[in-house]
Amino acid sequence: MSRTLAAALALAEHYFPAKDDAGRAVVRLEDAHVLMSGQAAQVWADWDSLTYPEQQRIGRLGSVLDRDQSSSSACTAESGQVELLG
């Protein structure tokens, strides 16, 4: 897994906590995608409530993603979510 994807999943876990039907903590891939897409400021209603350093941290994902794509690894899940272990 790329470090960029790992960072997006970790940030999605933090900002968009979710549970599956069994009550297990999961990360929805669409949440990580929003953070990686560079569109978070346009589509995330709570964007303006974030501190500037948080906005910068999330914004950097897009610029790092461009460099990562040359050696990217894909992460897919049939359910559209990743179960958190631990």
Side-chain angles (χ1 to χ4, degrees):
M1 177 185 313
S2 76
R3 291 188 322 176
T4 304
L5 180 56
L9 291 169
L11 288 169
E13 175 188 10
H14 176 75
Y15 289 111
F16 308 110
K19 296 196 181 289
D20 67 9
D21 293 337
R24 296 175 297 211
V26 295
V27 175
R28 293 181 301 247
L29 295 179
E30 67 253 17
D31 293 336
H33 180 262
V34 165
L35 298 176
M36 293 174 70
S37 72
Q39 301 299 311
Q42 289 79 22
V43 300
W44 184 8
D46 292 334
W47 176 260
D48 290 332
S49 69
L50 299 176
T51 65
Y52 184 67
E54 289 175 303
Q55 290 176 349
Q56 286 182 311
R57 186 176 308 116
I58 293 166
R60 280 194 297 267
L61 280 175
S63 64
V64 173
L65 180 61
D66 291 338
R67 290 183 302 224
D68 251 11
Q69 285 179 335
S70 61
S71 63
S72 68
S73 61
C75 176
T76 60
E78 188 174 309
S79 65
Q81 59 193 23
V82 176
E83 182 177 343
L84 301 177
L85 304 174

